[in-house]
Amino acid sequence: MTDFMISEIQSQSGLGLLCLIAVFFYIGLITIGGGQVAITVMQQVLVEHFHLIDNEFFFSMVAISESTPGPIGINMATYLGTELYGVWGGFFSTLGQVLPSLICIILIARFFGAFAQKKGVQAAFSTLRPAVSGVIAVAAAKIVIIALFVVREGFLLSSPSTWNDNFQIYGVSAIFYGLCLLILFKTKVHPVFLVAAGAVFGVIFC
């Protein structure tokens, strides 16, 4: 089934568009915790499972989606749908992404008040919070790795002999990253200015 969906999406057929909507509906359905969680989920589904795009393209898509207004998960759905199927692809992939959340919010708005104080519901929320935090941490770690490090095939953390040739640090990017963290923690500069500075920095130095 997966191979059939991949082939139809890649052939950009009408049925492939329906498959793409189904993929993003699935992503929207299992994304619990907001846009940052969507990064991890989308990377697993779009890159590792369906092989629709590679890691480099995916994280470039993340950078664009983070730098533009709106929720990152929706931005990424719109971006990829448009890339594959044009404007209508962007529209329907976005619809697939937001539809599960829309359905859930309507149901919650209707019934949550009657169950909010139940012990089981409170217990579920207390365990969801650390789980979601962990998924966000994974997404952040993956972005840091691809932004600051070169990790080639053959690198093994347990084998120091593979480090020199297969693991390198982007020195200039690492310095800029540290500087941005320092500015964010020590000043009140709005993050949008750092994003803009990052774009200029990339054009000049990368």
Side-chain angles (χ1 to χ4, degrees):
M1 184 65 178
T2 299
D3 292 338
F4 171 77
M5 294 177 68
I6 293 172
S7 64
E8 288 297 324
I9 293 172
Q10 291 177 340
S11 67
Q12 299 183 358
S13 65
L15 185 57
L17 179 57
L18 293 177
C19 292
L20 187 66
I21 295 170
V23 169
F24 278 106
F25 185 90
Y26 169 72
I27 292 172
L29 188 64
I30 64 173
T31 300
I32 300 173
Q36 302 306 318
V37 175
I39 296 174
T40 300
V41 174
M42 284 186 169
Q43 199 261 350
Q44 291 177 342
V45 174
L46 299 176
V47 179
E48 298 176 5
H49 188 59
F50 283 93
H51 307 289
L52 295 178
I53 51 178
D54 59 25
N55 259 321
E56 184 175 354
F57 184 89
F58 175 79
F59 283 106
S60 295
M61 189 171 68
V62 170
I64 292 172
S65 299
E66 286 275 32
S67 304
T68 50
I72 183 171
I74 295 176
N75 288 351
M76 292 174 70
T78 306
Y79 183 95
L80 185 58
T82 304
E83 185 76 15
L84 293 174
Y85 284 94
V87 175
W88 283 110
F91 173 79
F92 284 111
S93 60
T94 303
L95 181 63
Q97 174 76 16
V98 303
L99 200 55
S101 298
L102 182 62
I103 294 171
C104 289
I105 287 298
I106 291 173
L107 292 175
I108 288 172
R110 176 65 180 82
F111 299 108
F112 185 68
F115 299 98
Q117 302 305 318
K118 299 289 185 180
K119 289 185 178 180
V121 174
Q122 293 296 318
F125 278 110
S126 67
T127 52
L128 273 174
R129 284 189 285 270
V132 168
S133 299
V135 177
I136 292 174
V138 170
K142 288 182 177 180
I143 293 174
V144 168
I145 289 171
I146 201 168
L148 302 183
F149 303 99
V150 179
V151 183
R152 297 189 178 91
E153 187 176 352
F155 170 76
L156 293 174
L157 185 63
S158 59
S159 178
S161 62
T162 66
W163 291 8
N164 288 337
D165 296 328
N166 299 297
F167 183 82
Q168 298 175 2
I169 299 176
Y170 290 120
V172 177
S173 296
I175 293 171
F176 181 75
Y177 174 75
L179 182 62
C180 287
L181 284 181
L182 184 64
I183 292 172
L184 282 172
F185 282 115
K186 295 295 184 180
T187 71
K188 295 183 179 180
V189 173
H190 196 283
V192 71
F193 294 111
L194 293 180
V195 172
V200 175
F201 176 87
V203 170
I204 296 174
F205 294 102
C206 298

